[in-house]
Every structure is written in C-alpha cells, then in structure tokens.
Amino acid sequence: MAVERTLSIIKPDATRRNLTGRIITKFEEAGLRIVASRRTRLSTAQAELFYGVHRERPFFRSLVDFMTSGPVVVQVLEGENAIAKNREVMGATNPANAAPGTIRKEFAESIEANSVHGSDAPETAANEIRFFFSGLDIVG
Ligand code: CMP
C-alpha cells in the first residue's frame, strides 16, 4: 500500500462546538499523521471555488453559506492509503447512514453540517491540497 496525502477540512459546525481536538484524535488513532494544519475562515469566493463541482446542485448556495459561517481547520493528512482511510474515519456524508464510531456518526449535525470534509480520490486530493497549501507548508 502506498503512502498518500489527503485534504481534510474540519467544518464550522465542529469548530463552533470546540470539537477540533476530538476530531484530530480520531485521525491520529487511525494512523493518519497531520503534516500541515491551518485555522482559517473561507471567503465566499474561496468556498464557491473549492466546491465548484457542486455548483449546479440544489444545496450549493446553502453549502457555501454554511462553509463561510465560521472558522475551519484545513489539514493535510498523510499515511498508508490515507484517502480511503480518512473516508472510513469520517463515515458516510449523511450522518444517518454513518457507521458507529465514525466522526460523522458521533459529531455531525446534519447532511450539510457534517463536521468534516475529505478528498475522494488521488487527483482531487492533489488539487485540494494545492488549493490550501504550498509545498513549503507541508512537513512530513
Ligand atoms: P462534503 O464531503 O464536504 O462534500 C459536499 C458537501 O455538501 C457535503 O460534504 C455536505 O456538507 C454538503 N451537502 C449538503 N447537502 C448535501 C446532499 N444532499 N448531498 C451531498 N452533500 C450535501
């Protein structure tokens, strides 16, 4: 199995409830290493660009409003099979369908306010990491 990197976002619903540390612990307990991290607040333009693939979806405007409603923590996670592993730790997009012990099962408020984002494939991971971090920010 290859060592991969993936982009994670701890979303405004989670920072609002002071859950950053508990979510990071889930990543680390799964063997993922945090090799870059920044707390920031997305502008509307940044959120629209990041979620551009969803532009035509009915939830797009609400998603952008939610993602700009408070601070987020953007991180690069590294480890064996990191993209799939992170998705496993996050659980299903809709917390109603998420497995026990996953971040979304334990913490998500709704399908929109679902506490975390994670890249879904190697190409999107590379693009999403580049969106937030320069090579110099990532220290493995
Ligand atoms: P995320 O994994 O960041 O990718 C797209 C986001 O859109 C998703 O998590 C949710 O926060 C949000 N979203 C809101 N409604 C839906 C929906 N019906 N289906 C998928 N994603 C949704």
Side-chain angles (χ1 to χ4, degrees):
M1 241 178 280
V3 172
E4 292 176 337
R5 288 175 174 172
T6 190
L7 191 276
S8 164
I9 305 178
I10 300 176
K11 296 186 179 185
D13 68 287
T15 59
R16 179 169 43 78
R17 288 174 291 147
N18 213 20
L19 294 171
T20 302
R22 288 170 73 184
I23 289 173
I24 289 173
T25 296
K26 293 267 195 198
F27 297 145
E28 291 185 336
E29 283 176 350
L32 294 164
R33 304 180 71 82
I34 292 145
V35 296
S37 184
R38 186 167 73 249
R39 182 175 169 105
T40 187
R41 184 155 181 173
L42 298 181
S43 67
T44 298
Q46 282 175 316
E48 286 175 349
L49 200 57
F50 184 82
Y51 279 117
V53 67
H54 296 304
R55 193 169 284 279
E56 303 306 324
R57 308 283 285 273
F59 58 79
F60 180 71
R61 190 45 46 199
S62 174
L63 173 61
V64 168
D65 287 346
F66 164 63
M67 289 300 292
T68 57
S69 68
V72 296
V73 178
V74 290
Q75 301 188 303
V76 180
L77 310 181
E78 182 183 85
E80 295 276 343
N81 215 13
I83 297 165
K85 190 175 284 177
N86 182 39
R87 293 180 72 76
E88 224 177 278
V89 173
M90 289 193 301
T93 304
N94 186 345
N97 303 326
T102 61
I103 292 169
R104 284 166 170 165
K105 184 68 177 185
E106 287 192 15
F107 302 128
E109 295 181 317
S110 66
I111 192 169
E112 176 176 85
N114 62 358
S115 302
V116 279
H117 166 83
S119 311
D120 64 1
E123 201 190 333
T124 37
N127 289 337
E128 291 181 359
I129 289 170
R130 230 189 338 261
F131 187 91
F132 287 109
F133 295 101
S134 90
L136 291 173
D137 298 322
I138 305 170
V139 184

